[in-house]
Amino acid sequence: MSQGQVEQLSNTLPGVSKQETRTKQSWIEAWRIALRRDKYLYLMAAPGLLFFLIFKYVPLWGLLLAFQNYSPYMGFWHSEWVGFKYFHEFFTNPDFMLLFRNTMAISLLNIVFFFPVPIIVALMLNEVRKLAFKKFVQTVIYLPHFLSWVIIVGICFLIFGQGTGVINQLLVEFGGHKIEFMTSPNLFWAMLTAQSVWKEAGWGTIIFLAALAGINSELYEAAQIDGATRWQQMTNVTLPGIRSTIIVLLILRLGQVMDVGFEQIYLMMSGPVAQVADVFDTYVYRVGIQQGRFSYATVAGLFKSVVGLILVVSANRVAKKFGEEGLY
């Protein structure tokens, strides 16, 4: 664009200076150059961007249902607006504290017991010198990640079921008594955590192994010259080298603290464990889908999202105060 065209454009836009017009044109031109230069990279990223646009951002309009008495017959734009009516009903509902307790308890157990497991396994595999054994272990612990929760829960019933479960049959065979693994409220949270560890620990291990591979080998050589033991190398070189990865994944995990997984809990839920199994995800399904209270269920979903956002922002600020990069 010539100088005369820039001046003519700035004169036609009231309140816009020539400098601002030049800045906007430079920005647009920079985007054009980037698109021409990296067009194949943008083309490769297009499916992922479309996925987030269609399934993550466009559905945000549905949050308006929380402020409506939504009726499928009236439609999205013609349903009655009721303000914060369903918010008041949701937070004053006697089930709210029960749902909040169960959700937070399951999430805290996952953070305390599940989150460190991939780190520990990655550190242990990093010390293995036989490459064939290392790859074998990685494959074995990673395979459950590809199994659906239907299969995982089915296997648990075959192993821990009260009637035909292998463990209970062995207990009876050796003169013991059956244990209600799957229907005991006292064991339900532990069973969920153990299933999560078994299914997803392998995936987390791969992430931390990739982070370990990025540590400069010269740091280990310097530590060996100084006489550091393997334990001292791990505490003074390895762990600080993956600290940023641990913090980022922990922040992301805190953002999902209210999202404990619908499918796993729904498949594990039964009458005897209902009081410790009912969480926001199952409650939204029961109230929103089965009872057709779409607006009320949207309030519960919105509450989960807001809590996750607050935790992510708060954890990110705390990480930055301690000198870490954080998410942004």
Side-chain angles (χ1 to χ4, degrees):
M1 180 174 287
S2 64
Q3 182 69 22
Q5 289 175 322
V6 171
E7 293 180 357
Q8 183 179 2
L9 179 61
S10 62
N11 292 331
T12 59
L13 298 176
V16 179
S17 64
K18 296 180 180 179
Q19 182 63 33
E20 291 176 340
T21 304
R22 294 192 185 95
T23 302
K24 292 179 180 179
Q25 293 303 311
S26 301
W27 181 81
I28 295 174
E29 187 62 27
W31 265 105
R32 289 176 178 174
I33 295 174
L35 287 174
R36 286 196 299 266
R37 182 188 59 203
D38 303 323
K39 57 183 178 181
Y40 294 111
L41 293 178
Y42 286 109
L43 187 63
M44 291 176 60
L49 295 175
L50 287 175
F51 171 81
F52 280 97
L53 178 64
I54 296 173
F55 295 102
K56 300 297 181 180
Y57 289 97
V58 173
L60 288 176
W61 286 102
L63 295 177
L64 293 176
L65 267 65
F67 306 94
Q68 294 179 327
N69 183 16
Y70 177 74
S71 171
Y73 302 101
M74 298 296 293
F76 188 76
W77 299 111
H78 298 90
S79 296
E80 179 187 3
W81 293 88
V82 294
F84 292 94
K85 171 187 175 181
Y86 292 112
F87 287 86
H88 179 268
E89 182 180 349
F90 176 68
F91 290 115
T92 57
N93 193 317
D95 292 333
F96 174 78
M97 291 307 301
L98 176 67
L99 298 171
F100 187 78
R101 184 204 66 178
N102 294 341
T103 303
M104 292 301 298
I106 295 172
S107 292
L108 289 176
L109 286 173
N110 281 328
I111 292 174
V112 174
F113 295 102
F114 168 55
F115 184 78
V117 170
I119 303 174
I120 297 172
V121 175
L123 293 174
M124 294 173 65
L125 288 177
N126 192 53
E127 299 297 320
V128 176
R129 292 294 170 260
K130 291 186 177 181
L131 186 60
F133 178 75
K134 183 177 180 179
K135 289 185 177 180
F136 172 76
V137 174
Q138 283 184 258
T139 303
V140 170
I141 64 176
Y142 187 49
L143 280 177
H145 174 74
F146 295 98
L147 302 179
S148 69
W149 278 115
V150 176
I151 298 176
I152 296 294
V153 173
I155 293 174
C156 287
F157 272 101
L158 291 175
I159 297 175
F160 299 102
Q162 185 177 1
T164 59
V166 176
I167 300 298
N168 278 319
Q169 288 183 356
L170 290 175
L171 290 174
V172 173
E173 187 72 23
F174 288 99
H177 299 282
K178 292 184 177 181
I179 301 176
E180 299 178 353
F181 291 103
M182 308 300 291
T183 57
S184 173
N186 296 327
L187 298 176
F188 184 78
W189 292 344
M191 291 294 297
L192 291 180
T193 306
Q195 288 175 355
S196 298
V197 171
W198 178 39
K199 186 176 188 299
E200 299 296 344
W203 168 255
T205 300
I206 289 179
I207 297 176
F208 288 109
L209 283 174
L212 289 170
I215 299 177
N216 192 345
S217 60
E218 295 179 357
L219 297 175
Y220 291 104
E221 296 174 0
Q224 292 174 359
I225 293 174
D226 291 338
T229 62
R230 296 298 300 177
W231 177 261
Q232 290 173 331
Q233 292 178 38
M234 184 182 68
T235 56
N236 294 284
V237 178
T238 306
L239 286 176
I242 63 173
R243 182 174 57 190
S244 60
T245 303
I246 295 174
I247 291 175
V248 169
L249 291 179
L250 179 59
I251 293 174
L252 293 174
R253 184 65 189 85
L254 289 174
Q256 299 175 348
V257 74
M258 303 299 290
D259 187 8
V260 292
F262 164 76
E263 188 176 2
Q264 178 192 12
I265 297 177
Y266 184 75
L267 292 171
M268 289 285 293
M269 184 184 293
S270 61
V273 298
Q275 289 297 310
V276 295
D278 203 12
V279 295
F280 287 111
D281 292 325
T282 56
Y283 184 74
V284 167
Y285 171 76
R286 186 171 66 254
V287 175
I289 303 299
Q290 294 183 336
Q291 299 180 13
R293 302 186 62 190
F294 302 106
S295 297
Y296 184 77
T298 303
V299 172
L302 180 59
F303 171 73
K304 288 174 46 184
S305 301
V306 171
V307 171
L309 176 62
I310 293 174
L311 289 175
V312 167
V313 174
S314 302
N316 191 75
R317 289 186 177 181
V318 172
K320 284 186 171 295
K321 286 184 178 180
F322 283 92
E324 299 295 332
E325 293 184 1
L327 289 176
Y328 54 89

